[in-house]
């Protein structure tokens, strides 16, 4: 086996960058993360600077395995271990009471900390070799679409990141599900890669999905995950007419066309047909938004998918991407 050429980023190189307080973008199964040593305050501060993220918004700490839970979280961790057993490594983030030493830079001043073990082989190798926790938000500028390829990380953050590990396209494509176990009743703070139904099956009871969590969450901001184009949600029946009307009004219209819809006339700038399978849709969602932006679309029209399984996460991201937009 020939060693990788020196200019190709390696996991060893990434570990060195983390050790000296730098930033590493790395693939997870959900989206690419922008990682820093979670126990290095200055390094964590750089994440906020590079992303343009308000400082009180907490970060997820990525761990090499569930064995690290006790080092970061305290209190009764029985439910956390049960869920970890079933879903880690995987797209589930657990919000737990933090150990007193965990930095407020990471927790945004909260008494809780968000933890997850990602399922991507490169992420796991990085975490195992690094040994500590890696604080990582999605590797995009605050408010914009999360990257699911190394190319999109480069486009979004450029030279602001010290090293980018390229692990190909992310297989899940939407962020992790965030489950808050810190209060008296478990609550889903963000739908994501693990469907709520699967969590309920393991916990043996229905889960709360609060309309507004009591902790500040950028993922809960009304406008988030947005492409440059204006994203508008429309009813499926009115989609063709809206696409035609806006195109005739001189807009470059992009359409996320639901499966089974008839094709649109050529005057519509760009239409991409969505896969019927929701896992496949989730995998492609952010890349499709990037693609329609690149094609110069000014408006993107979308409909909401059925909100079961991964459909809940897709619908959540579409709603937030569209939040605050006024129809033309
Ligand atoms: O899939 C993911 O979760 C990706 C990959 C990179 O792991 N990460 C991600 O990070 O989506 P970010 O920073 O874009 O979103 C983290 C979410 C935010 O909504 C944040 O408010 C919430 O996690 N969060 C972090 N710590 C929290 C805490 N202590 N309590 C409540 N929410 C928390
Ligand atoms: Mg994000």
């Amino acid at each position: 086996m020939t060693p990788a050429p020196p200019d190709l980023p390696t996991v060893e190189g990434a570990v060195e960058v983390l050790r000296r307080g730098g930033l590493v973008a790395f693939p997870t199964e959900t989206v690419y993360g922008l990682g820093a040593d979670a126990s290095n305050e200055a390094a964590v501060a750089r994440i906020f600077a590079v992303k343009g993220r308000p400082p009180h918004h907490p970060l997820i700490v990525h761990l090499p395995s569930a064995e690290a839970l006790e080092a970061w979280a305290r209190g009764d961790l029985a439910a956390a271990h049960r869920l970890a057993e079933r879903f880690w490594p995987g797209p589930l983030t657990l919000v737990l009471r933090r150990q007193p030493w965990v930095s407020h830079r990471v927790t945004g001043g909260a008494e809780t900390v968000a933890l997850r073990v990602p399922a991507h082989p490169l992420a796991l190798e990085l975490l195992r070799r690094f040994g500590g926790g890696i604080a990582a938000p999605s590797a995009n500028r605050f408010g914009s679409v999360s990257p699911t390829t190394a190319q999109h990380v480069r486009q979004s953050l450029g030279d602001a990141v010290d090293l980018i590990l390229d692990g190909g396209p992310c297989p899940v494509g939407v962020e992790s599900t965030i489950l808050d176990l810190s209060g008296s009743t478990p609550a889903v703070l963000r739908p994501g890669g693990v469907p709520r139904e699967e969590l309920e099956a393991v916990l043996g009871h229905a889960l709360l999905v609060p309309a507004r969590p009591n902790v500040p969450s950028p993922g809960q901001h009304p406008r988030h995950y947005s492409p440059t184009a204006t994203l508008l949600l429309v009813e499926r029946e009115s989609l063709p007419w809206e696409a035609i009307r806006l195109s005739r009004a001189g807009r470059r219209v992009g359409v996320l066309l639901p499966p089974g819809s008839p094709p649109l006339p050529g005057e519509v700038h760009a239409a991409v047909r969505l896969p019927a399978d929701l896992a496949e849709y989730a995998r492609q969602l952010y890349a499709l938004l990037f693609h329609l932006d690149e094609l110069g679309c000014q408006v993107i029209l979308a409909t909401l998918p059925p909100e079961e399984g991964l459909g809940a996460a897709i619908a959540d991201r579409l709603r937030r991407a569209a939040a605050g937009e006024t129809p033309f």
Side-chain angles (χ1 to χ4, degrees):
M1 213 175 83
T2 45
D7 52 334
L8 254 193
T10 59
V11 170
E12 298 90 89
V15 168
E16 272 172 43
V17 170
L18 291 174
R19 293 233 161 96
R20 58 165 201 263
L23 299 185
V24 169
F26 63 98
T28 80
E29 78 281 33
T30 60
V31 301
Y32 276 72
L34 176 64
D37 178 353
S39 14
N40 178 333
E41 296 233 346
V44 172
R46 267 193 73 203
I47 291 181
F48 287 87
V50 162
K51 270 190 73 101
R53 175 165 168 140
H56 57 277
H57 289 149
L59 301 174
I60 296 172
V61 177
H62 298 69
L63 302 174
S65 81
E67 281 165 38
L69 265 174
E70 275 75 12
W72 292 82
R74 59 179 162 160
D76 180 3
L77 298 178
H81 276 292
R82 207 160 70 240
L83 290 162
E85 177 85 12
R86 166 72 177 77
F87 296 107
W88 283 357
L92 174 66
T93 295
L94 299 176
V95 172
L96 299 161
R97 288 175 59 212
R98 69 177 175 100
Q99 286 289 6
W101 67 269
V102 179
S103 163
H104 276 312
R105 287 234 190 242
V106 169
T107 67
E111 284 311 308
T112 55
V113 62
L115 303 169
R116 95 172 183 101
V117 178
H120 197 286
L122 263 187
L124 282 175
E125 196 189 335
L126 178 67
L127 283 158
R128 283 174 188 150
R129 290 202 190 194
F130 178 62
I134 300 179
S138 50
N140 54 286
R141 302 226 180 255
F142 185 64
S144 62
V145 175
S146 304
T148 51
T149 66
Q151 175 61 26
H152 290 160
V153 176
R154 250 171 242 121
Q155 274 170 245
S156 193
L157 298 177
D159 293 339
V161 38
D162 299 307
L163 186 146
I164 301 175
L165 284 176
D166 189 343
C170 301
V172 174
V174 289
E175 293 83 350
S176 59
T177 302
I178 302 179
L179 181 67
D180 186 353
L181 293 178
S182 70
S184 48
T185 324
V188 174
L189 301 186
R190 178 178 74 182
V194 173
R196 179 173 50 88
E197 298 87 328
E198 288 187 27
L199 296 174
E200 290 174 337
V202 171
L203 289 168
H205 59 78
L207 278 170
L208 265 177
V209 185
R212 218 144 58 81
N214 37 18
V215 176
S217 260
Q220 306 297 333
H221 260 218
R223 193 182 147 92
H224 208 73
Y225 309 104
S226 300
T228 308
T230 299
L231 193 133
L232 298 178
L233 290 177
V234 292
E235 295 299 329
R236 194 183 164 130
E237 312 78 69
S238 49
L239 182 71
W241 311 114
E242 271 302 289
I244 293 165
R245 183 181 75 78
L246 289 165
S247 301
R248 292 197 177 148
R251 312 274 174 189
R252 285 192 301 276
V253 178
V255 179
L256 296 178
L257 204 55
S261 316
L264 295 171
E267 65 199 295
V268 176
H269 188 67
V272 287
R273 192 169 288 280
L274 295 169
D277 177 54
L278 288 172
E280 189 53 40
Y281 183 0
R283 194 173 300 141
Q284 293 181 21
L285 173 65
Y286 291 143
L288 290 174
L289 295 177
F290 265 98
H291 176 65
L292 292 175
D293 265 347
E294 270 168 5
L295 292 177
C297 294
Q298 295 160 312
V299 190
I300 297 173
L301 297 181
T303 59
L304 292 176
E307 295 193 45
E308 57 206 30
L310 283 174
I314 297 169
D316 173 77
R317 304 309 187 271
L318 287 173
R319 279 203 195 90
R320 291 180 202 287
E325 303 286 15
T326 33
F328 287 83

